[in-house]
Amino acid sequence: MLGLAVSVAAIFSAPAAWAADFPDRTITLVVPFSAGGSTDLVARLVANKMSEKLGQQIVVENVGGAGGSIGASQVARAEPDGYTILMGTVATHALNPLILKTKPYDAEKDFAPISLLVLVPNVLVVNPQFPAKDVKELIEMLKKDPDKYAYASSGNGTPLHLSGELFKSMAGVSMQHIPYKGAGPALNDVIGNQVPIMFDNLPSSSGHIKSGTLRALGVTTKERVPSFPDVPAIAETIPGYETYSWNALFAPAGTPADVIAVLQKAAAESLKDPDVIARMGQFSASIVASSPEELASHVKAELAKWEPIVKASGVQLD
């Protein structure tokens, strides 16, 4: 009986003891979009600093496709041990659950929240050869030649796609939507002038805006952003227009609370690093570094916010 009691005690104490050794090997951070986009940039910046804090390498793995749902599904099915985590976004945890007819995962039940890292502005950009110099001129061009022009996004049902659909609706214009498997490939085609217009996350476009390979017509937040004070908010031309993106860390549901706590602490400490703060500031990403509980509440609120927008857009994907 004594031996049985000791065995039972060992079983119940094992997770805590195991978590005390976490991590003891490489962690994989799945980015559910292709390399080069905003989520990828934020992931690599945070992963580098978290690796230093944890004493183990965090390897970023890009698993693009289906608006982020393929990568998110991979993490949802992973072993809940903290060694496979997800850089989630508004697409993976608010839009996909509302847009996809077949639900590959439950945004709330299939994940353990770790931390809401940053809020990220979006931006409307065009190829420098495109005639429109501001949002007003773009609207005039689109009204003059309906459906002549196309805009790119990081994929069907992504926040960048819906940013474009909301723009079309509120401005009363038409544009063809060209979806890509991530922001990186879409940016390449806009820079190459295969597609003239794009809604993008500001972080992935910021370098191109500064170098002149893209022209920014407007940011999607209510007001102008500190890193590009000369770029108007779209809301200055279309009152009430607003969208933004966010990045957050998630683990598979069932990951031990002690492991979640270790990851959350490392993420929060990384976001206090002066180099990280400066880099985030360059593209006006607002640092949050939330608790797991706060991220859970955020996901619930985002689902409620986007539901009427998705319904109004009529977007439904298989």
Side-chain angles (χ1 to χ4, degrees):
M1 290 182 65
L2 178 59
L4 177 61
V6 171
S7 298
V8 171
I11 290 171
F12 282 98
S13 64
W18 173 81
D21 297 330
F22 177 85
D24 61 5
R25 64 180 189 272
T26 298
I27 296 170
T28 298
L29 172 56
V30 174
V31 172
F33 302 100
S34 59
S38 165
T39 301
D40 184 63
L41 291 174
V42 172
R44 293 179 187 277
L45 185 62
V46 173
N48 286 339
K49 291 299 177 182
M50 285 183 67
S51 296
E52 296 175 8
K53 305 294 181 185
L54 294 171
Q56 292 288 344
Q57 187 177 12
I58 297 181
V59 175
V60 173
E61 179 183 352
N62 296 94
V63 183
S69 65
I70 294 176
S73 298
Q74 179 176 307
V75 176
R77 296 190 300 267
E79 187 73 22
D81 55 10
Y83 288 97
T84 303
I85 58 178
L86 174 72
M87 181 61 77
T89 69
V90 61
T92 61
H93 280 72
L95 300 182
N96 287 348
L98 298 170
I99 290 171
L100 298 177
K101 293 178 182 178
T102 302
K103 313 298 183 186
Y105 56 83
D106 187 300
E108 296 181 276
K109 294 180 181 179
D110 291 342
F111 296 90
I114 298 171
S115 181
L116 174 61
L117 304 177
V118 295
L119 304 179
V120 183
N122 299 327
V123 63
L124 168 59
V125 294
V126 296
N127 183 278
Q129 298 177 32
F130 192 72
K133 300 296 190 295
D134 55 38
V135 172
K136 182 180 177 182
E137 290 183 5
L138 174 62
I139 292 172
E140 290 172 353
M141 289 180 62
L142 296 175
K143 287 186 174 180
K144 182 179 179 180
D145 294 300
D147 295 320
K148 178 180 179 180
Y149 302 101
Y151 77 96
S153 83
S154 55
N156 280 318
T158 62
L160 304 177
H161 173 203
L162 290 177
S163 291
E165 294 304 301
L166 185 62
F167 179 90
K168 287 164 55 178
S169 175
M170 295 183 71
V173 297
S174 295
M175 288 187 289
Q176 181 185 359
H177 173 230
I178 308 295
Y180 287 78
K181 291 184 178 180
L187 279 172
N188 288 338
D189 274 7
V190 177
I191 292 169
N193 209 21
Q194 277 76 44
V195 184
I197 306 163
M198 180 176 177
F199 286 84
D200 189 26
N201 296 131
L202 185 55
S204 54
S205 281
S206 59
H208 300 295
I209 295 169
K210 291 174 182 176
S211 69
T213 53
L214 289 175
R215 179 191 303 132
L217 300 189
V219 293
T220 66
T221 43
K222 285 183 179 179
E223 299 176 349
R224 300 187 184 201
V225 299
S227 59
F228 290 94
D230 294 333
V231 178
I234 294 175
E236 294 176 31
T237 304
I238 307 175
Y241 182 91
E242 181 189 19
T243 68
Y244 59 86
S245 298
W246 47 265
N247 295 116
L249 292 177
F250 296 88
T255 301
D258 287 352
V259 171
I260 296 294
V262 170
L263 293 168
Q264 191 279 334
K265 181 180 179 182
E269 289 178 351
S270 297
L271 290 169
K272 293 178 182 177
D273 184 274
D275 292 338
V276 173
I277 292 172
R279 186 73 180 92
M280 295 294 187
Q282 289 176 3
F283 44 76
S284 297
S286 301
I287 293 174
V288 181
S290 80
S291 68
E293 294 77 16
E294 289 167 337
L295 175 53
S297 297
H298 176 78
V299 169
K300 192 177 295 291
E302 284 288 277
L303 286 164
K305 182 186 84 172
W306 281 101
E307 185 174 13
I309 298 173
V310 169
K311 285 183 177 179
S313 73
V315 176
Q316 280 283 292
L317 302 176
D318 292 328

